[in-house]
Structures are given as C-alpha cells and as structure tokens.
Amino acid sequence: MKSTKFSPMTQEQIDKKWWEIGNYFRRNSLWMLMYCTGCCAIELPPAMTSAYDMERLGMGPMATPRQADVLLVTGYLSLKTLRRLIYTYEQMSEPKYVVGFGSCTINGGIYHDSHAVINKLDQYIPVDVYVAGCMPNTEAVMNGFTDLMGMIKNKTARGWLDYKERNDWYKKNQLDSLGEVLVHDEFHE
Amino acid sequence: MVVNILVGLGVALFGFVLQTAMGGINRKIVARVQKRIGPKWYQEFIDIFKLFSKRSVSHGWIFDFGVIMALGGIIATAMFMPVTANIIAFEGYDNFFIFVYLLAVGMLGMAMSASGSGNPLASIGVMRALTTMLAYEVPFMIVVMTIIKLTGGTSSVSEIAAFQQIAGNNWFIIALPLGGIVAIISLMGMLGKKPFETYIAPAEIASGPMVEYGGKQLGMLFVMHEITVFIEVSLFIHLFLGGAATLGVYLLKYFLVYTALNLISSVYARFKIDQVVVFFYKWPLFMAVTQAIIAIYLGWVI
Ligand code: SF4
C-alpha cells in the first residue's frame, strides 16, 4: 500500500531542495575576484583586514576568474578595460554574481561626460548589487555583501541567468559601445 | 581483504574530516593572530561543498582525468597510513617508501592535469612544485635514512613509532635534535607553508597549478590537498613524535604540530623559487649530513 503520509516529491521539487542546500553553501563562502579599475578599490583593504574582517562572512580573495563566485567591479570602466571585464565575467563558473561599486558603475558618476568610460555597467553585464557612493563607506561595502548573501538566500540574485536569457541584448549593447569585444594584445593573439 | 579496504577508506575519510576541521580551526587561530575574528571553524567544509555545487568547464579529458588520478592516488596513499598503534588497515604494508612513491602518483596526476589546461602559469606552478620537492626531499630523506639505520633496518612507519615508545628510547625529534629541525623545515616545504609557498603564490603566478580550475575539479583538488596534508603530518608524528597509542593522543599531537606550523608560517613572507632551492641545499642539507654522521658513526644519540 502506498503511504499516505509522504507523497513522493516530483523531480522539480527535489531539484529545488538541492538548489536550496547549495544556496546555503554558496552564500556562506563567497570567493571574490577583485577587478580593481577605479579608486573605489581602496575601500577593499579595510573591508578585508582587521577593521571589518570579511573572512568572518566566509568571503576571501581568489586569484583567478575560474575559482571566483563574485566579481567586484570597483569603479569606472574605460572601454579598454570593459573588454577584459567581459572576458573575465564569461570565464567565471556558474552561479556567478557581480557587485558594482560607486556611482561610476551606476550612472557614470563624475566621469559621466567622458568619452573614454562607460556610464551604466548593467547594460553590459548583469549586476546583482550596487553599492552607491563616491566612494562608498566601508560599512556600505560590507552591507552590500550581506545584501548579496540575502539575495542568494531569496533566490533573487539571478543576474547570471539573465545574462543567458537576454544574451542578445547584452551582446548588442557591448557591440554598440565597443565596436568589437575581441581583445587585441600579445596575450590574446 | 574487504574489511582491510573498508578500514583503509575509513582512514582516508577520517583524514579528510580531521584535516578539514583542523584547517578551519587554524584559519580562526591565524585570524586571531592578525586581530581579526576569523571564519567559522567549519568554513573549510562549506568551501568544499560549495565548490561541488558549482558548474564547471572542462579543458579536455587529460584535465579531468588528471584530477581523478590525483584524488585516487592520494586516497590510495592514505589507506596505508597507520593512525594509532591499533588503527591500521594493511598490517605490514605501512612502509615509508610506499608513502613516498604513492604520494608521487597523486602529485603527478595533478601536474598532468594542470599542464592539460594549457595555461602557462599552471606550467610554471607545476615546475616550481617539482623543484621544491627536489629541494626538500634530499635533506628529509637523509634524516629518515638515519632513523631507519638506528631502528635496526626497519622502514615500517608503525614499527618506527613503536621503537620510540620502548623505555629508554627518546622521540626522534629529541634523540636527533638537528634532524628534528630539518624535518620541521622539510615538513613546511611539503605542506607549502609560507616561506616555501612559491608554487601557489596567488599574487605572483595566480595560484600556480590551480589557475584554470573552478567548480567541481577545484573541489576535488581541495579534498586531495586536505588528505595530502593529513598524510604528511601523520608521517611526521609517527617518525619523529613517537606515534600515538590512542586516538586522543594522536589528535592532540596532530593539532599541536599543524598549529605550530601555521603560526610559524603566519609571520613569514614568501621566498623566491631559487631562494627555496639554495636554502634547502645549504643549512638543512648540512645539518642533515652532520646529524647522520654523528648519529651513525659516532653513536651520539640522546
Ligand atoms: S565612484 Fe568615485 S571613488 Fe568610485 S571610482 Fe568613481 S570617481 Fe572613483
């Protein structure tokens, strides 16, 4: 006789459960890749060392994109670095998250009228959390990281899925600004 | 036979759990040294399970196969490791040279897989790892040969441990003080602790052999690394600290050795690769040869 108490879960529900368990591990062990392009990067040393100690949240710096979970874009991005950033983002292993620092990534900040930098980062790669300020306080940076952890818990950190779903839109924006995304230098040819 | 294999796998699993927990505790201790709060003690478990929950790319089958070979080779090595005098999977096969040769299988698997990724930094890292190995093995081997000579020609790890527990014999770290120092330095080289961390060097060659790994392959390499540390620290405990009669003594010795190494490593900066080789071939080699001569030919053993 079939048990009436435990109705068997569908494959979808099982997947969901596994994903939730995975989310617990993912949010408690965020390894960062710091893409230190702008002056906001100076907020990271106090966040990492004894003043704010992000290791207690399980976060730590990693050396290469493949190992990292979260990409920190710290400040303005010139067109040249945007190419490298897109390369870097696409190399990271999924699930991956992006945190944008400073007003420069939100709307261009004080460089909004410069011809050499991009204004809105989320037109090129999906951004999960923005930390506003020029430059943001270290408390704000830490707050951004806990926000990201909360978003992973609520399953709202869906940037990497969005990048897959609307890939055409992102690619079109990238091409509009850059002409071509390919990097031409001695390492890539 | 089946029971032996199960016990061996149990030893490998025990080593993994023990070293992962110790690693987390030690991250906490090092954080306290640096006036930080530090991660949770089970942070390393979270890290490893997170890596297994990620998706990863492959760089060809050599890349994938090498990782499995590395992990398998290391688990096979750990199966032979005696934990205490009673917990030992294959009685009579815990020969020191078995560990030396089987450890190489794991290392070569990792080297193969890393070069399979095609990244130049990975090749540099592998080359540096092998060079460091060449540097620390010579003085370490001389000291271990001295011990084998003193124990009357047995190279079984558990018999060497039992020899030190006989009344009238000291632990070899006391009996051979120079050799003990050499062993500690070599152990730091084996574990890749700070002054000899050249082949990882995150800021210099982007974590060397691990540069192209992400997700599941990196998770397997982490498991492999934890078991390797377990094997190397256990070898040190059995050869130099008189082994362990009970599990409690073993855990205590393990904790003390690993924490001491971490504390030493937390105050040092990194050597360059040529400095590592010159260092090992200068003082540790000199001390090891001196120790061998005064212990074997002059018979001065404390
Ligand atoms: S937001 Fe301000 S501090 Fe940050 S990169 Fe831009 S100009 Fe620099």
Side-chain angles (χ1 to χ4, degrees), chain A residues 9-161:
Chain A
M9 290 199 284
T10 60
Q11 188 61 39
E12 231 166 70
Q13 283 167 318
I14 295 175
D15 285 352
K16 198 166 155 246
K17 271 272 169 310
W18 276 115
W19 190 254
E20 274 165 9
I21 295 172
N23 270 345
Y24 168 77
F25 294 120
R26 281 190 282 271
R27 72 169 179 273
N28 280 303
S29 153
L30 286 172
W31 289 350
M32 345 172 268
L33 181 71
M34 295 169 283
Y35 201 80
C36 298
T37 54
C39 17
C40 280
I42 210 71
E43 289 302 319
L44 284 172
M48 271 194 292
T49 50
S50 47
Y52 290 90
D53 184 26
M54 63 168 64
E55 203 187 5
R56 74 198 145 93
L57 304 179
M59 305 184 67
M62 272 291 145
T64 71
R66 300 252 188 239
Q67 301 163 357
D69 307 305
V70 45
L71 173 65
L72 310 184
V73 185
T74 56
Y76 51 80
L77 275 168
S78 70
L79 294 178
K80 254 186 174 175
T81 46
L82 180 61
R83 289 199 176 96
R84 273 84 178 171
L85 186 79
I86 294 167
Y87 270 42
T88 309
Y89 180 70
E90 288 183 349
Q91 276 186 18
M92 290 168 65
S93 41
E94 292 165 346
K96 49 193 173 183
Y97 313 101
V98 180
V99 178
F101 277 51
S103 36
C104 278
T105 51
I106 300 176
N107 58 10
I110 56 173
Y111 298 104
H112 65 95
D113 53 356
S114 163
H115 65 278
V117 304
I118 56 148
N119 281 355
K120 291 183 183 157
L121 178 62
D122 55 8
Q123 297 195 328
Y124 306 94
I125 58 171
V127 181
D128 294 297
V129 175
Y130 276 122
V131 182
C134 178
M135 51 201 33
N137 235 347
T138 317
E139 281 99 339
V141 172
M142 294 305 287
N143 199 17
F145 291 146
T146 42
D147 279 358
L148 178 63
M149 291 162 82
M151 284 173 69
I152 296 173
K153 189 175 182 186
N154 304 331
K155 308 199 192 95
T156 43
R158 296 173 42 86
W160 58 282
L161 289 171

Side-chain angles (χ1 to χ4, degrees), chain B residues 76-90:
Chain B
T77 320
M79 284 168 74
F80 291 97
M81 181 51 86
V83 178
T84 66
N86 302 320
I87 307 177
I88 166 167
F90 301 95

Side-chain angles (χ1 to χ4, degrees), chain B residues 26-137:
Chain B
N26 267 284
R27 268 168 77 173
K28 190 121 193 140
I29 291 174
V30 171
R32 296 308 301 171
V33 171
Q34 298 169 347
K35 284 198 178 175
R36 292 186 289 121
I37 295 176
K40 313 173 187 76
W41 69 267
Y42 50 92
Q43 183 65 44
E44 301 256 306
F45 288 102
I46 298 183
D47 289 349
I48 289 175
F49 291 132
K50 178 209 66 178
L51 286 171
F52 280 121
S53 82
K54 290 192 70 159
R55 297 174 192 172
S56 50
V57 290
S58 171
H59 297 277
W61 74 270
I62 289 278
F63 182 77
D64 296 339
F65 174 73
V67 177
I68 295 170
M69 177 174 152
L71 184 58
I74 289 299
I75 290 178
T77 320
M79 284 168 74
F80 291 97
M81 181 51 86
V83 178
T84 66
N86 302 320
I87 307 177
I88 166 167
F90 301 95
E91 196 107 27
Y93 288 95
D94 56 345
N95 198 299
F96 173 74
F97 297 101
I98 286 188
F99 294 110
V100 173
Y101 279 103
L102 280 183
L103 264 182
V105 174
M107 296 295 169
L108 288 180
M110 184 167 167
M112 192 170 91
S113 151
S115 5
S117 74
N119 193 311
L121 293 178
S123 311
I124 296 178
V126 167
M127 192 270 293
R128 286 185 178 192
L130 296 179
T131 315
T132 314
M133 210 169 171
L134 212 65
Y136 66 69
E137 291 246 297

